Amino acid sequence: MRNRCVGYVYLGVPLSIAPVLWETVDNMLLSLEAHIEQSWAQLASAHLSRCVFEFACLARERRGVDCYPEATCAMVFHQSASRLMLDASAKEWNVPVVMMPVVTGILIACGELVVARVAHPD
């Protein structure tokens, strides 16, 4: 798994959580695979990647200062979910409004799982 997360490290994700973040995002993407033809799953997939990139950028800025990068990661996923409910992405992607809680829930759950998996690696 460490080799698979090398791209995350290259982007700026701290090595201490890169494997956990990669595995968690990969798990989420695999769970979306059966629905990938649906717009809500495509939006969720795109925003998972966007969250990773946003977190990597923030982690680069905070390098050496952030004692709890997993909490910062969860914060990025939460904030992205909140913004997603307020912007026009759902309309642009033709996502039914009833599916937006599913999309935002996926983002929030991903961030929370990173925190949980770092705290309890087994």
Side-chain angles (χ1 to χ4, degrees):
M1 179 172 45
R2 243 188 218 288
N3 290 338
R4 294 181 181 170
C5 71
V6 72
Y8 281 16
V9 174
Y10 180 77
L11 284 174
V13 173
L15 185 58
S16 62
I17 69 162
V20 173
L21 179 58
W22 183 89
E23 181 181 26
T24 305
V25 170
D26 188 57
N27 292 161
M28 291 292 186
L29 293 173
L30 287 173
S31 72
L32 292 171
E33 209 168 74
H35 306 283
I36 205 61
E37 296 299 319
Q38 298 180 21
S39 59
W40 66 266
Q42 293 170 1
L43 181 62
S45 176
H47 272 269
L48 284 168
S49 297
R50 181 178 178 176
C51 287
V52 170
F53 182 72
E54 287 178 9
F55 171 61
C57 291
L58 185 59
R60 279 181 180 253
E61 291 175 16
R62 292 182 169 187
R63 190 157 312 272
V65 179
D66 196 349
C67 297
Y68 300 101
E70 66 276 13
T72 302
C73 179
M75 177 197 70
V76 168
F77 279 81
H78 275 266
Q79 287 176 343
S80 181
S82 295
R83 283 192 315 267
L84 189 56
M85 288 299 287
L86 300 174
D87 71 16
S89 295
K91 192 171 189 173
E92 292 168 1
W93 287 66
N94 296 316
V95 175
V97 70
V98 298
M99 294 306 292
M100 285 309 293
V102 174
V103 174
T104 57
I106 289 168
L107 299 177
I108 291 168
C110 190
E112 294 296 320
L113 278 170
V114 170
V115 172
R117 288 176 173 181
V118 168
H120 305 286
D122 297 355

